[in-house]
Amino acid sequence: MKQEYTTSRLPHIIQILPTISYGDAIGNDCLAIRDCLREAGYGGDIYAEQIDPKLQNNGISGIKSIHEYQDDADILICHVSVAWDYMLTLGERPGHKIFIYHNITPPHFFKDYEDPAAAERCGEGLKQLKFLRLVPSLCLAVSAYNKAELEKAGYLCPVHVLPVICQFREQAAVRKDKGDSANILFVGRLAPNKKQHDILEAFYIYHKNINPSSRLILLGGGEDDYAEALKAYPRFTALDGVTFTGHVSDSEKDAYYRNADVFLCLSEHEGFCVPLLEAMHYEVPIIAYKSSAVTETLGGAGLLLERKEPEIVAEAIDMVMTDEKLRNSLIANGRERLKDFAPENVKALLLNELKAYTDYWKKEKTLFFDVTVQRKIDAGTGVQRVEKEELKFLYGLNGEFKIVPFYFDEEGEGLFDCETGLEITPLPGDIIYSSDISLVETPKNTTSLDKLYTKGVKIWFFIHDLIPIRFPETCDDALVTAFSKWLTVIVRYTGIIGNSKATIDDVKAYFRSHPDGERSANLTFGYSWLGCDFSSRCGIRPATETEPKTPCSEGNAVRLLMVSTVEPRKMHDQAVQAFDLLRKRDVNVRLDIVGREGWKVEKTVRLIESSPNYGTNLFWHKGGISDEELDSLYKSADAVLVPSKWEGFGLAVTEGAYYGKPLILRDIPVFREIAGDNAFYFSGFEPENLADAVEEWISLFRAGKAPASSGIHLTSWQEHGKKLLEILTGEKTE
């Protein structure tokens, strides 16, 4: 890895972006950051693929072609707003990476207006954004709305909010006497997400029915079909008073703001919306539709509309124009809100972020975190969900270790840093930790691991279960072979961590029965229960805060929920056949199965989809559902059913308990370890065994006597992470 900068030298920082344009919000932000970096002594050149000639000709220095960049920066700040193939090379370039996320417009806005090229560009941009999720070690989102988008896209590194730096050329002018006229202004490129057509329709009502002395100014460029349709609207509707300005100079834009009486924003997608701040600066009262980051940026400084039917918007304009008290209040609120975005405050925030970031990379110890599989595909599996929560926890610590995600080379050439593409060089006392279960790549890099272990680097592996060994018939043959080989490698180093005592007991028993093979003489074991409060889940309340479930009456269906990948050991076959049997017995029950189709389940798939109850009382949510949808299914369930013949942990057990749901579990060691006496257990592998058990449970449930899950200790991911760190470091954490 490139030698880190020291306390005697500030890091050299550059900014990169695909296009820098004169007067553009992102370009202006980039220039303001450049000036801030230079004043603080960081340097701060800008590299772009396309450079507006106005910027080159106006004496603005430090803007260069991206093709001139020679990988000499310590830190690259990449502005993310569109698809840009150059970004795909960032993981192969030296230097730490910071993303500033300005937002990427969702493709559907352009599909609605038959602009496939724009939709494709935006779609590609979102794909690139997700693909690069493990490259930066810090993200700065210009709004909390953008921060949430990055986290939803799988960004696990710290994501902090840094607003756009807005520098205005002159102080707000004295307001003119408005008289009877009304100048309504919106500033933004002519684009479907900006919804200028909604502004036109609202202005039509206002101009025709309320104030014929009104004018509408739509300031912004655009030459596509949407822009042409907008420009045709006044002709087709005989609407006068509409001006499309196209691109204008700064002085012209100033004049439009100074003469505006209302700033009207009906946009449905904004990552920040700088024109709102411009309107505040020029003391123009704002009417805006409640959407995306608009609400956040406005911060109560405007009239916020929940609906935007033309008549509602027209009435709002009239209210702002005629109610002097309301008008003055909006202007005063805007003046106060603007103080929150004072350039000196935002610049100070940026410099604080950079100071903390550079201090972070000066830490002497490093914990290298394996993301080999996740780097290639975000499959949303239980294993990856665990890995994400662990990495997010470790990133959030302010301890002695810095965190570096790495991957094993597919050809066995070593271990490489996700951020720089350089081979990692751990020092004695550093930690390499793998919870990624990179079965194929890990054994190929045994030579590299051996060398690092010999040098005093601690090497730990996480194991979820021994299913491929204990139940090979339930797994793909290639998986069984790869897992067996992987198992012979992970015992050569520092230690193995499990997700439960049952898993570690099983691992120890297996090694006792298979004494052959090379193993570390000091191999250490530990375990840490998994958390149940997944940070990606929306709208969850802890079970202790939920209302107790009223037992179903005879007339209502008892709703059972299964959550897991559909694969042989999960025993979906038995569950579905038992469910059909219950329906034949006239037991009023519903079963929801949540999970993707796994391996060796052709028979299971046929069994589910050919069930006479499929689509009526039996539902398989197999295409992947959102966190919000899963949240809803958990909340509406009467019980969580987990009939797996073997588990290393069983996330559905603790998730069910998290929602306060009763549990119907197969009687296996790990479920007893987790749930104790707080669940209903059953045995046997025939459909009748499970059907009889469910029927017995329903009787108990309706009588209010079914075991409650409230007594289960629910481990948070914070607790899991602390225990994990104690095992990895051998030190107690606070």
Side-chain angles (χ1 to χ4, degrees), residues 320-389:
V320 171
M321 289 297 300
T322 57
D323 187 334
E324 198 67 28
K325 184 177 180 180
L326 171 63
R327 182 180 184 83
N328 290 336
S329 173
L330 293 176
I331 292 172
N333 290 344
R335 193 183 301 120
E336 285 302 308
R337 176 59 173 160
L338 193 60
K339 294 177 183 178
D340 295 332
F341 299 100
E344 60 273 17
N345 294 339
V346 181
K347 288 179 180 181
L349 183 59
L350 169 63
L351 294 177
N352 287 338
E353 288 283 359
L354 290 174
K355 175 65 166 57
Y357 186 68
T358 55
D359 288 346
Y360 178 82
W361 286 109
K362 291 173 186 174
K363 292 183 178 183
E364 294 182 357
K365 293 184 179 181
T366 307
L367 194 159
F368 296 91
F369 193 100
D370 179 15
V371 292
T372 303
V373 178
Q374 188 191 155
R375 177 174 172 267
K376 291 185 288 188
I377 180 171
D378 184 0
T381 61
V383 171
Q384 288 194 339
R385 289 161 72 194
V386 171
E387 178 190 348
K388 291 172 186 176
E389 294 293 341

Side-chain angles (χ1 to χ4, degrees), residues 359-651:
D359 288 346
Y360 178 82
W361 286 109
K362 291 173 186 174
K363 292 183 178 183
E364 294 182 357
K365 293 184 179 181
T366 307
L367 194 159
F368 296 91
F369 193 100
D370 179 15
V371 292
T372 303
V373 178
Q374 188 191 155
R375 177 174 172 267
K376 291 185 288 188
I377 180 171
D378 184 0
T381 61
V383 171
Q384 288 194 339
R385 289 161 72 194
V386 171
E387 178 190 348
K388 291 172 186 176
E389 294 293 341
E390 289 180 344
L391 183 52
K392 197 163 190 177
F393 167 81
L394 292 170
Y395 264 130
L397 292 176
N398 188 25
E400 59 181 339
F401 287 87
K402 55 182 178 286
I403 310 303
V404 174
F406 78 93
Y407 60 93
F408 288 106
D409 179 68
E410 293 181 357
E411 303 302 322
E413 296 298 322
L415 289 61
F416 292 86
D417 182 358
C418 285
E419 188 173 28
T420 65
L422 300 175
E423 188 169 5
I424 65 173
T425 56
L427 301 173
D430 285 346
I431 297 171
I432 290 175
Y433 171 61
S434 174
S435 65
D436 199 46
I437 319 298
S438 41
L439 298 178
V440 176
E441 297 86 353
T442 302
K444 286 186 177 181
N445 289 279
T446 304
T447 300
S448 295
L449 289 172
D450 287 346
K451 290 179 181 178
L452 293 171
Y453 186 55
T454 302
K455 291 180 179 179
V457 177
K458 298 177 182 179
I459 302 175
W460 289 87
F461 289 89
F462 195 94
I463 189 165
H464 293 262
D465 55 59
L466 284 183
I467 302 299
I469 299 296
R470 296 300 190 197
F471 303 98
E473 72 280 1
T474 67
C475 301
D476 181 86
D477 293 341
L479 172 62
V480 174
T481 301
F483 188 89
S484 300
K485 189 171 183 180
W486 176 77
L487 205 57
T488 66
V489 172
I490 67 173
V491 297
R492 298 160 63 100
Y493 307 110
T494 306
I496 297 173
I497 304 171
N499 50 10
S500 65
K501 182 178 181 297
T503 294
I504 288 301
D505 287 345
D506 196 35
V507 170
K508 289 179 178 179
Y510 174 78
F511 288 150
R512 284 194 299 269
S513 63
H514 295 77
D516 299 334
E518 185 179 350
R519 289 179 199 160
S520 169
N522 301 312
L523 186 65
T524 303
F525 293 94
Y527 72 90
S528 178
W529 277 13
L530 305 182
C532 58
D533 53 335
F534 283 95
S535 61
S536 61
R537 189 77 42 78
C538 300
I540 296 180
R541 293 179 298 167
T544 54
E545 296 179 9
T546 58
E547 300 80 7
K549 181 73 176 179
T550 303
C552 286
S553 65
E554 293 290 339
N556 296 327
V558 174
R559 296 176 63 127
L560 304 180
L561 176 64
M562 287 181 67
V563 182
S564 70
T565 301
V566 177
E567 41 132 329
R569 70 181 169 92
K570 301 290 188 178
M571 298 300 293
H572 288 82
D573 286 27
Q574 183 189 22
V576 171
Q577 291 178 82
F579 175 79
D580 287 343
L581 187 57
L582 286 167
R583 295 293 297 170
K584 285 182 180 179
R585 296 176 184 176
D586 292 325
V587 177
N588 194 2
V589 63
R590 164 179 168 148
L591 176 62
D592 283 278
I593 298 171
V594 177
R596 291 182 172 86
E597 182 178 332
W599 50 91
K600 291 190 174 182
V601 289
E602 293 81 3
K603 178 185 173 184
T604 305
V605 172
R606 289 196 299 270
L607 195 65
I608 296 173
E609 295 181 343
S610 64
S611 166
N613 299 291
Y614 188 59
T616 54
N617 287 75
L618 171 62
F619 301 91
W620 182 14
H621 311 269
K622 65 179 180 179
I625 63 175
S626 68
D627 289 334
E628 292 85 355
E629 290 169 318
L630 182 56
D631 177 46
S632 177
L633 284 172
Y634 265 118
K635 285 178 177 175
S636 61
D638 292 301
V640 174
L641 171 64
V642 192
S644 304
K645 66 168 63 175
W646 196 262
E647 290 281 356
F649 187 77
L651 281 172

Side-chain angles (χ1 to χ4, degrees), residues 80-85 87-88 99 101-111 117-134 145-146 148-155 269 271 378:
V80 182
S81 62
V82 295
W84 187 27
D85 288 345
M87 282 207 316
L88 299 177
F99 282 4
Y101 184 49
H102 296 269
N103 204 271
I104 296 173
T105 306
H108 71 81
F109 284 107
F110 299 96
K111 290 178 180 176
E120 185 177 354
R121 286 194 302 273
C122 292
E124 185 60 30
L126 292 173
K127 288 179 183 177
Q128 290 180 1
L129 185 73
K130 190 173 181 65
F131 177 78
L132 294 164
R133 65 193 180 280
L134 292 167
Y145 177 81
N146 285 2
E149 279 202 356
L150 285 177
E151 291 173 342
K152 189 173 183 179
Y155 282 72
H269 188 84
D378 184 0

